[in-house]
Amino acid sequence: MRRKRYSLSRSNNTEPLCFIPEDDLQMLTPETLLHAYRLMVTARAMGDTYDANRQVCKYVHSTSRGHEAIQIAAGMQLLPCDWVSPYYRDDSILLTIGFTPYELMLQLLAKRDDPFSGGRSYYCHPSSRDSDKPSIIHQSSATGMQAIPTTGLAQGLQFLERSGSPLFRKAADGSLPVVLCSLGDGSVSEGEVSEALQFAVLKELPIVYLVQDNGWSISATEEEIRTGNAYDYASGFKGLKRMQCDGSDFIRSYETMEQAVGYARTERKPVLVHAKVPLLGHHTSGVRKEFYRSREDLLKHGLYDPAPKLRLLLNGVGYPEHEINQVESAARERVSEQFALVQQAAEPDIHAVEQHVFAPTPVTEEKGKRVPRNGEKVMMVDAALHAIEEILEEYPEAVLYGQDIGARLGGVFREAATLGDKFGPNRVFNTAIQEAYIVGSTVGLSALGIKPIVEVQFADYIYPGLNQLITEASKSCYLSNGKFPVQMLLRVPTGAYGGGGPYHSGSIESTLLSVKGIKVVYPSNAADMKGLLKAAFLDPNPVVMLEHKGLYWSKVPGTDDARCIEPDKQYVLPLGKAGIVTQADPEKVRKGETVCIITYGMGVYWAKAVEARMPGKIEIIDLRTLFPLDEETVFEAVRHHGKVLVLSEEQQHNSFAEALSLRISNQCYHFLDAKVEVMGARNLPAVPIHTALEAAMLPTPDKLMERISKLLAY
């Protein structure tokens, strides 16, 4: 851009300050500079207050000292229609977009009225739906992890804009919304940042990545951890506009951020800004600068302190010393007064500690016709396909994406066949091999009111996505104090059959069930598949749907009953409701000659094979949902029979099945005629590919029959 001399002063007698783009600095007035300085000294006063009151400010925190210029410049570009994801030292951004020191300090001291998390999360971990400010989804402490959910926001804005959705919100003046993702330079080495950048440039999303580079990654220096900075790194992403500036110089920061945000707002494309800044404070209150930094390093960083620089600018545009001093003293006084008030604020109610783990679901009872008149039998894979097709038809805000599910293939199991052709690439599309992005982007989409259905190709490949599932999706509702539940349905083909081998046959339910804040369903037949899938879609929380590949087409001998009459369009089956597959003969129950098998998935059919050999002696409970668990049905069945076996396809040791057996023992101890039995796969690292070895590892009807016979002998 051509530069020309532009006068920035309070009077015509003041010498112009610098060469800056005239057209781009229409809003950068002397009053703007004074406002920026007021914000800067307020942030400084807050940091000084925290350091002076370490006993009171006992929870770990970080501040923006040294980063204030670029943060304030960035915040000044944002509109209430925008979205921003600050990182953990961005309190100057938060001040700039309108939060008060009092509100920020409520979170610092974990008070009840902390507007972000209700006393549940760290300082400068905001979440906000305030209509007069840019919105903020839940922010975690895991560095770089916000890049994917925030890019999901940009993905969602693009979808809403292109589809003409009423959910798309512009500014009052018609300006289009953008997303700002703030990062520290040390986080750029995270692989998930790469996934976010790749998707942003591929889809041309309206997002600005602001990378604040202070040369430190906790105690590691830039020379120790990288060969180039974020600006250099960004050159590898074709289509990503790159900019950089001295982030300690407010005018340069303002100029750069105005251009960057303007580019994203008008061109609807991504841009990365690399801002070099000094680190003048501690990494955090728990990792203090004196622990790892030399006097020389601190002095070097002090030379780039943005506050004296901005103060000199104020002198240069005509503000007298006494007026500047008055701004500083007023800021200190305001912070001091508000800090005193915060200390007196109410503490969180300990009885509310379990609130907002999940948002209430609208599906609480079975509805619709499970077996409609003149209905036709369908396979599980078709029941799922039809359910999603009906969802996409009814809900224009629903989208479906994942690896290979687009128009050409429709999923490696053909579970999305024809949907790409019918609904178009804006709603059904392929992604790259990016499990983290597939999972984490749903956080941003959900915040905008979009309802994503996403797929991971095989259960064995979900692990790259666990970081986003655990760190972001599962904690969002709880740590945002209920503001941002994540409505996400994640479909995962699972299970072993027919020589799928060690990386296409795994069972992962115990791994998933160790994660709090998600729900896990596991249908065993076509009717349950359709009813649970629709209920999971309507649930405003993250739901993982495990779908056994061996049941998709009922190709495994003995699984014909997985095919059944397809329920109607209105059919929903609430999560957390087990099904009774077979009931034992009442007379045999009275004589103590029966066993209850608690199982799910393929286990249902192993159990049915045994029941066929021992008619009247077996009651089978199909859990259908592993969390929430229908304990009432399970415990009632156990008390009724006195003998129970928990059956799972997973490796047995440390499994969900073993945990459930202990729960049954604790709750039903006085009703048991024998110890609770558990049967799972052998405790091997993976499922072997040879079919004989696979069969040797897994439960089979014959193995189950032997265990049941021994249990009945008690």
Side-chain angles (χ1 to χ4, degrees):
M1 178 177 290
R2 180 174 61 87
R3 296 181 182 275
K4 62 172 70 174
R5 187 177 293 273
Y6 184 75
S7 178
L8 184 65
S9 64
R10 298 187 83 190
S11 70
N12 293 330
N13 297 325
T14 304
E15 180 67 19
L17 293 173
C18 54
F19 291 102
I20 47 181
E22 182 174 350
D23 294 338
D24 285 350
L25 288 173
Q26 296 173 1
M27 298 302 294
L28 189 50
T29 63
E31 291 71 26
T32 303
L33 292 181
L34 187 65
H35 178 55
Y37 190 69
R38 183 179 294 108
L39 292 166
M40 189 177 292
V41 295
T42 299
R44 287 289 171 96
M46 291 163 64
D48 291 341
T49 300
Y50 307 161
D51 275 346
N53 294 272
R54 291 177 62 185
Q55 291 298 107
V56 176
C57 306
K58 59 185 178 180
Y59 301 114
V60 66
H61 58 270
S62 189
T63 69
S64 57
R65 186 181 291 272
H67 292 231
E68 301 100 334
I70 188 66
Q71 290 184 20
I72 294 167
M76 285 181 168
Q77 315 307 319
L78 299 178
L79 305 173
C81 63
D82 295 331
W83 292 77
V84 57
S85 284
Y87 86 119
Y88 57 80
R89 62 171 74 253
D90 277 349
D91 53 7
S92 285
I93 284 183
L94 296 175
L95 287 172
T96 305
I97 64 176
F99 290 102
T100 65
Y102 180 77
E103 290 172 308
L104 300 186
M105 292 186 291
L106 282 170
Q107 187 172 53
L108 175 80
L109 301 188
K111 295 293 187 174
R112 182 193 65 192
D113 296 330
D114 154 28
F116 306 134
S117 70
R120 296 175 177 187
S121 198
Y122 311 92
Y123 178 68
C124 206
H125 286 60
S127 58
S128 174
R129 286 189 177 275
D130 291 359
S131 60
D132 62 337
K133 303 178 183 69
S135 298
I136 309 171
I137 55 175
H138 154 70
Q139 300 299 301
S140 73
S141 287
T143 57
M145 295 306 100
Q146 74 271 32
I148 286 179
T150 309
T151 304
L153 283 169
Q155 176 189 344
L157 288 178
Q158 184 186 75
F159 170 76
L160 296 176
E161 182 178 1
R162 289 182 175 179
S163 61
S165 171
L167 297 174
F168 187 65
R169 186 167 66 106
K170 297 180 182 180
D173 64 358
S175 297
L176 298 176
V178 298
V179 177
L180 175 67
C181 179
S182 179
L183 302 152
D185 189 80
S187 70
V188 176
S189 57
E190 290 280 5
E192 290 173 52
V193 175
S194 172
E195 291 195 21
L197 296 177
Q198 192 273 341
F199 196 92
V201 296
L202 178 68
K203 300 296 185 179
E204 297 186 336
L205 302 180
I207 184 169
V208 177
Y209 300 96
L210 169 60
V211 181
Q212 300 172 55
D213 181 3
N214 60 34
W216 285 95
S217 183
I218 306 185
S219 68
T221 65
E222 54 190 308
E223 293 80 12
E224 292 177 86
I225 62 170
R226 68 188 189 203
T227 57
N229 61 34
Y231 183 83
D232 302 321
Y233 182 69
S235 66
F237 295 90
K238 185 178 180 180
L240 179 61
K241 183 178 178 64
R242 296 182 299 153
M243 304 177 71
Q244 58 183 343
C245 68
D246 177 356
S248 69
D249 183 320
F250 178 74
I251 286 185
R252 293 304 178 207
S253 296
Y254 190 99
E255 170 193 357
T256 303
M257 291 310 302
E258 188 179 45
Q259 291 181 30
V261 173
Y263 175 83
R265 200 179 298 284
T266 57
E267 298 298 320
R268 316 305 286 159
K269 293 179 181 180
V271 54
L272 181 142
V273 174
H274 171 252
K276 189 67 178 174
V277 293
L279 178 60
L280 303 182
H282 313 289
H283 169 67
T284 67
S285 58
V287 184
R288 301 181 68 79
K289 57 188 177 184
E290 56 266 24
F291 294 174
Y292 63 97
R293 298 179 67 187
S294 67
R295 180 174 179 275
E296 290 74 21
D297 177 73
L298 291 168
L299 288 173
K300 181 180 73 173
H301 279 249
L303 296 174
Y304 297 93
D305 188 338
K309 289 185 177 184
L310 186 51
R311 200 180 201 284
L312 285 173
L313 281 175
L314 293 175
N315 291 145
V317 297
Y319 283 105
E321 282 293 312
H322 75 272
E323 194 169 341
I324 300 173
N325 291 338
Q326 187 178 29
V327 168
E328 294 173 349
S329 61
R332 288 192 295 270
E333 183 177 346
R334 181 186 183 211
V335 168
S336 178
E337 290 174 351
Q338 295 190 7
F339 184 69
L341 291 173
V342 168
Q343 292 180 72
Q344 302 304 314
E347 303 295 337
D349 178 3
I350 61 172
H351 300 293
V353 70
E354 292 187 343
Q355 291 180 359
H356 304 304
V357 175
F358 294 111
T361 177
V363 181
T364 57
E365 59 185 74
E366 189 172 5
K367 291 183 178 180
K369 293 183 179 179
R370 183 179 175 93
V371 186
R373 184 180 299 178
N374 301 322
E376 296 183 0
K377 276 192 173 184
V378 295
M379 296 179 290
M380 276 184 64
V381 70
D382 289 331
L385 174 65
H386 299 162
I388 293 179
E389 183 175 12
E390 290 166 7
I391 286 169
L392 291 171
E393 287 174 342
E394 184 174 355
Y395 298 93
E397 67 273 27
V399 294
L400 172 67
Y401 59 96
Q403 298 162 23
D404 298 304
I405 68 163
R408 283 181 295 278
L409 185 60
V412 294
F413 298 102
R414 305 293 287 157
E415 73 279 7
T418 73
L419 297 181
D421 289 326
K422 183 167 185 178
F423 295 99
N426 199 37
R427 297 187 67 196
V428 180
F429 58 89
N430 291 327
T431 67
I433 302 173
Q434 294 182 323
E435 288 83 5
Y437 189 87
I438 291 169
V439 175
S441 57
T442 65
V443 176
L445 292 169
S446 177
L448 288 161
I450 300 167
K451 305 180 190 300
I453 306 170
V454 294
E455 295 189 15
V456 169
Q457 218 162 58
F458 292 92
D460 303 85
Y461 300 142
I462 197 175
Y463 297 101
L466 284 185
N467 208 353
Q468 288 293 319
L469 185 66
I470 297 169
T471 304
E472 307 297 334
S474 72
K475 293 178 172 60
S476 180
C477 186
Y478 186 71
L479 292 182
S480 69
N481 215 20
K483 292 190 293 295
F484 287 102
V486 177
Q487 181 166 2
M488 175 265 283
L489 171 56
L490 172 59
R491 298 181 64 193
V492 184
T494 188
Y497 83 100
Y503 291 100
H504 297 80
S505 307
S507 294
I508 60 169
E509 51 263 36
S510 292
T511 298
L512 292 172
L513 291 165
S514 69
V515 182
K516 313 310 173 191
I518 66 171
K519 300 182 180 182
V520 181
V521 299
Y522 203 139
S524 67
N525 59 68
D528 288 353
M529 170 73 88
K530 188 169 186 179
L532 288 170
L533 194 153
K534 287 202 168 184
F537 169 79
L538 294 170
D539 199 303
N541 302 288
V543 182
V544 181
M545 189 160 190
L546 298 175
E547 305 172 10
H548 200 291
K549 306 186 302 294
L551 300 178
Y552 267 155
W553 298 282
S554 296
K555 288 184 177 180
V556 177
T559 62
D560 287 345
D561 287 348
R563 298 173 66 246
C564 51
I565 300 295
E566 181 177 359
D568 66 12
K569 287 185 177 182
Q570 287 72 42
Y571 183 66
V572 289
L573 181 61
L575 308 190
K577 300 292 184 183
I580 301 175
V581 180
T582 62
Q583 290 183 309
D585 179 81
E587 182 61 22
K588 288 182 170 59
V589 173
R590 189 183 66 80
K591 294 179 178 179
E593 298 175 350
T594 59
V595 172
C596 176
I597 299 178
I598 312 295
T599 189
Y600 54 94
M602 187 62 76
V604 171
Y605 299 94
W606 295 328
K608 290 183 75 169
V610 171
E611 192 274 337
R613 301 183 203 176
M614 307 176 73
K617 292 188 175 184
I618 307 295
E619 179 163 316
I620 303 171
I621 303 297
D622 181 358
L623 294 176
R624 302 197 289 204
T625 302
L626 307 186
F627 190 87
L629 184 68
D630 186 354
E631 292 185 341
E632 181 180 352
T633 297
V634 170
F635 295 159
E636 177 60 30
V638 172
R639 293 172 185 136
H640 193 55
H641 295 278
K643 299 182 182 73
V644 60
L645 183 143
V646 182
L647 175 62
S648 169
E649 183 175 324
E650 270 197 308
Q651 293 92 325
Q652 182 174 324
H653 284 183
N654 305 313
S655 65
F656 160 68
E658 286 196 333
L660 178 55
S661 73
L662 177 61
R663 204 179 313 176
I664 291 171
S665 295
N666 290 339
Q667 295 294 322
C668 306
Y669 176 79
H670 296 292
F671 298 88
L672 293 172
D673 298 328
K675 72 179 183 70
V676 178
E677 293 287 332
V678 180
M679 186 174 184
R682 294 191 183 189
N683 300 296
L684 306 175
V687 181
I689 194 168
H690 193 283
T691 52
L693 295 176
E694 178 188 83
M697 177 186 178
L698 298 176
T700 64
D702 287 342
K703 296 175 188 176
L704 180 60
M705 180 78 178
E706 182 180 351
R707 291 286 293 276
I708 293 295
S709 297
K710 290 180 179 179
L711 185 55
L712 281 171
Y714 276 95

